[in-house]
């Protein structure tokens, strides 16, 4: 990882090089997601394998807000049967709606009922989009 001071210096250099020549004004920036995103992950459990290539988890995308997984890619990792390669696998949430999709690929050798699934880098910003819909927003567990 890069120290915050070095990261800020890199941003300042980019602003001076690319933005200042176009628009000479005062710029205010904050690192935001680069700091908060790695701070939180979502852990799910595979509750049912409907057929090869499709499974249902115990949590729905109300945990992250509807729009998050429609446009952003996040890796989905099977911690029970991990692999360095993604396999084609549809992982759905438990809300029974067509948009309740965690992903179409998973870093896994295989997926079976009871597997623990990790969706890393969800951070504090993602949590603010969580909604009570069919199921409540799950509690946060702090790991030390």
């Amino acid at each position: 990882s890069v120290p915050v001071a070095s990261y800020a210096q890199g941003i300042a250099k980019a602003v001076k090089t690319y933005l200042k020549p176009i628009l000479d004004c005062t710029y205010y920036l904050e690192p935001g997601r680069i700091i908060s995103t790695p701070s939180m992950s979502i852990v799910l459990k595979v509750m049912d394998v409907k057929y090869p290539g499709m499974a249902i988890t115990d949590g729905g995308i109300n945990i992250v807000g509807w729009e998050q997984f429609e446009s952003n890619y996040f890796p989905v990792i099977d911690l029970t049967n991990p692999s360095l390669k993604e396999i084609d696998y549809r992982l759905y949430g438990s809300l029974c709606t067509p948009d309740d999709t965690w992903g179409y690929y998973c870093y896994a050798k295989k997926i079976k009922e009871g597997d623990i699934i990790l969706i890393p880098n969800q951070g504090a910003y993602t949590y603010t989009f969580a909604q009570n819909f069919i199921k409540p927003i799950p509690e946060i567990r702090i790991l030390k």
Side-chain angles (χ1 to χ4, degrees):
S1 75
V2 177
V4 174
S6 298
Y7 182 75
Q9 288 169 350
I11 292 172
K13 183 179 177 184
V15 167
K16 287 176 190 170
T17 303
Y18 301 107
L19 298 178
K20 253 325 193 186
I22 296 169
L23 181 60
D24 187 18
C25 64
T26 302
Y27 290 87
Y28 295 93
L29 304 165
E30 60 95 8
R33 290 188 188 275
I34 196 75
I35 291 173
S36 71
T37 296
S39 69
M40 187 182 300
S41 296
I42 294 172
V43 179
L44 303 164
K45 184 175 183 180
V46 174
M47 300 305 290
D48 188 18
V49 174
K50 290 297 186 184
Y51 55 82
M54 183 187 141
I56 308 296
T57 64
D58 64 346
I61 61 167
N62 66 307
I63 296 170
V64 297
W66 300 105
E67 57 282 333
Q68 190 75 327
F69 281 72
E70 289 178 0
S71 59
N72 298 329
Y73 166 82
F74 293 99
V76 178
I77 304 162
D78 187 327
L79 295 179
T80 309
N81 296 294
S83 174
L84 294 175
K85 293 185 177 186
E86 286 180 308
I87 59 172
D88 289 342
Y89 214 100
R90 292 179 181 250
L91 284 165
Y92 294 101
S94 56
L95 301 179
C96 300
T97 68
D99 297 326
D100 194 15
T101 304
W102 287 109
Y104 299 99
Y105 304 95
C106 185
Y107 286 94
K109 292 178 187 160
K110 61 181 179 177
I111 295 177
K112 59 184 182 4
E113 286 181 23
D115 281 6
I116 302 300
I117 304 295
L118 176 73
I119 303 175
N121 301 322
Q122 294 306 300
Y125 285 170
T126 301
Y127 184 74
T128 63
F129 292 122
Q131 304 167 18
N132 284 311
F133 179 75
I134 299 177
K135 289 188 166 192
I137 298 168
E139 65 183 87
I140 293 175
R141 302 276 175 112
I142 298 172
L143 304 178
K144 295 180 183 183

